[in-house]
Amino acid sequence: MGRFERLNDVRVAISVRLKERGVFVPKCTKMTTNGAAPAVAVKLNNSAVHQPAPLNHRILSTMDRRSVAAHPWHDLEIGSDAPEIFNVVIEINKGSKVKYELDKKSGLMKVDRILYSSVVYPHNYGFIPRTLCEDEDPIDVLVIMQEPVLPGTFVRARAIGLMPMIDQGEKDDKIIAVCADDPEYRHFKDINEFPPHRLAEIRRFFEDYKKNENKDVIVDNVFGHEAALQAISHSMDLYAAYIVESLRQHSGTICRPHYCHYGPDIMNFKAYLSERDQTILHRTGYQLKNSTWNLLKF
């Protein structure tokens, strides 16, 4: 059986599956031996004109409904074991001098700048989804693990410490975590278990990486595991409180926060929230009632 005969068999099989799912599949022409669709005769002004067959409508049929790509900040769950074990979206890979960051409007990773100083990120760096800090960004995390991870990937992590920082006069704390699925680091529970020199390297990086931009960064003493959990829980509550306020304003529907400039994307509240999200909402003093999904004070 030739290559094009096999392709035609695949097209037929896909067509049958789509029909079983209720998708309309227009009749498609069979490929010729050179891989091109055969010409068809079209009557135009009483004369026969040979034109190539139209594009495969089955491909276009998958694009007939407008869809929105998942947003890593709002659509990725934080994880059922948070704040102990949580998901982290990696923005910058270990060893990189490129400052990638989340574009809040599109949900894609963009290049913000190349670091001005002769330094590289000592570990993978990113944020925890569905969290919010006072600077209207998700909480930042430095994930210690063996290998660099591609920007846009998410990993499971465990918080071991909190590094309080002041960046240009604004609070900008960092969670220090280990990859929960890295056998070399997953057994660490607290920052005090790490060699002092490793912490000195991390501290020095954040103190120096903006010096050539004439920007001041002040790094305070590093706190342990419990302080990190409190910071994550607080950021989860801030995010939940914002969602609750959006729900109150939109009468049972949910709108992604305006500060992410994601647009007026209103979606059904029940379809959006997981059981974990509902638990988080309970911590803010609200509950959901039956299928009406009305917000009530406890």
Side-chain angles (χ1 to χ4, degrees), residues 32-94:
T32 59
T33 55
N34 63 0
V40 295
V42 179
K43 195 116 179 188
L44 182 63
N45 295 331
N46 297 323
S47 61
V49 179
H50 285 274
Q51 293 183 352
L55 228 49
N56 190 335
H57 291 287
R58 288 189 290 109
I59 297 176
L60 297 180
S61 67
T62 63
M63 303 169 63
D64 60 355
R65 291 182 300 174
R66 182 178 177 272
S67 61
V68 179
H71 198 291
W73 183 6
H74 307 295
D75 294 328
L76 177 63
E77 293 189 6
I78 190 173
S80 60
D81 296 324
E84 285 286 347
I85 304 292
F86 47 84
N87 289 326
V88 176
V89 178
I90 300 300
E91 295 175 290
I92 306 168
N93 53 294
K94 173 182 177 181

Side-chain angles (χ1 to χ4, degrees), residues 84 86 88 123-125 128 139-144 157-165 173-179 188-192 194 198-203 206 219-225 227-229 231-232:
E84 285 286 347
F86 47 84
V88 176
H123 300 284
N124 295 305
Y125 180 86
I128 302 178
I139 193 166
D140 297 321
V141 186
L142 195 70
V143 183
I144 301 174
R158 173 190 288 110
I160 61 171
L162 172 68
M163 179 176 286
M165 286 177 46
D173 297 347
K174 312 294 184 188
I175 298 295
I176 300 178
V178 293
C179 178
F188 286 98
K189 305 294 184 183
D190 194 274
I191 195 70
N192 294 326
F194 265 83
R198 176 66 61 87
L199 302 181
E201 286 182 333
I202 295 173
R203 182 189 184 102
F206 284 109
V219 181
D220 205 341
N221 293 327
V222 179
F223 296 100
H225 170 73
L229 293 186
I232 295 170

Side-chain angles (χ1 to χ4, degrees), residues 3-46:
R3 179 165 65 95
F4 298 110
E5 285 78 3
R6 290 196 298 271
L7 286 175
N8 283 317
D9 289 342
V10 171
R11 294 170 64 190
V12 171
I14 293 175
S15 176
V16 170
R17 291 184 181 181
L18 289 174
K19 287 180 179 178
E20 290 175 349
R21 296 172 61 184
V23 178
F24 172 71
V25 181
K27 184 177 179 181
C28 299
T29 55
K30 188 175 182 180
M31 287 184 180
T32 59
T33 55
N34 63 0
V40 295
V42 179
K43 195 116 179 188
L44 182 63
N45 295 331
N46 297 323

Side-chain angles (χ1 to χ4, degrees), residues 55-278:
L55 228 49
N56 190 335
H57 291 287
R58 288 189 290 109
I59 297 176
L60 297 180
S61 67
T62 63
M63 303 169 63
D64 60 355
R65 291 182 300 174
R66 182 178 177 272
S67 61
V68 179
H71 198 291
W73 183 6
H74 307 295
D75 294 328
L76 177 63
E77 293 189 6
I78 190 173
S80 60
D81 296 324
E84 285 286 347
I85 304 292
F86 47 84
N87 289 326
V88 176
V89 178
I90 300 300
E91 295 175 290
I92 306 168
N93 53 294
K94 173 182 177 181
S96 175
K97 196 176 179 180
V98 181
K99 175 63 169 68
Y100 300 99
E101 69 176 30
L102 176 71
D103 179 59
K104 296 177 183 176
K105 181 178 180 180
S106 66
L108 299 175
M109 294 297 167
K110 68 177 182 179
V111 175
D112 178 64
R113 66 187 185 277
I114 308 300
L115 296 185
Y116 283 51
S117 301
S118 183
V119 293
V120 296
Y121 276 80
H123 300 284
N124 295 305
Y125 180 86
F127 64 87
I128 302 178
R130 298 190 186 181
T131 60
L132 182 64
C133 296
E134 287 80 359
D135 60 358
E136 296 191 344
D137 286 333
I139 193 166
D140 297 321
V141 186
L142 195 70
V143 183
I144 301 174
M145 56 191 301
Q146 297 182 65
E147 298 294 328
V149 175
L150 292 175
T153 306
F154 74 90
V155 300
R156 294 193 319 133
R158 173 190 288 110
I160 61 171
L162 172 68
M163 179 176 286
M165 286 177 46
I166 303 295
D167 190 342
Q168 302 174 75
E170 294 185 359
K171 184 179 178 182
D172 190 22
D173 297 347
K174 312 294 184 188
I175 298 295
I176 300 178
V178 293
C179 178
D181 299 302
D182 188 328
E184 185 172 337
Y185 291 101
R186 64 187 179 191
H187 64 279
F188 286 98
K189 305 294 184 183
D190 194 274
I191 195 70
N192 294 326
E193 300 172 11
F194 265 83
H197 183 70
R198 176 66 61 87
L199 302 181
E201 286 182 333
I202 295 173
R203 182 189 184 102
R204 193 65 177 180
F205 167 77
F206 284 109
E207 289 176 336
D208 290 347
Y209 82 126
K210 288 188 177 181
K211 279 191 178 297
N212 285 349
E213 300 176 62
N214 296 318
K215 296 178 180 179
D216 294 326
V217 178
I218 301 174
V219 181
D220 205 341
N221 293 327
V222 179
F223 296 100
H225 170 73
E226 290 300 326
L229 293 186
Q230 292 177 16
I232 295 170
S233 296
H234 179 63
S235 67
M236 292 166 64
D237 288 341
L238 284 181
Y239 186 89
Y242 192 98
I243 296 302
V244 167
E245 183 61 28
S246 297
L247 287 166
R248 295 178 65 185
Q249 294 177 6
H250 294 285
S251 302
T253 59
I254 183 169
C255 177
R256 286 189 173 94
H258 64 77
Y259 52 77
C260 71
H261 307 298
Y262 198 74
D265 182 18
I266 309 297
M267 59 178 63
N268 182 274
F269 182 42
K270 183 176 181 179
Y272 185 77
L273 292 182
S274 66
E275 292 183 4
R276 175 60 183 172
D277 294 316
Q278 297 170 37

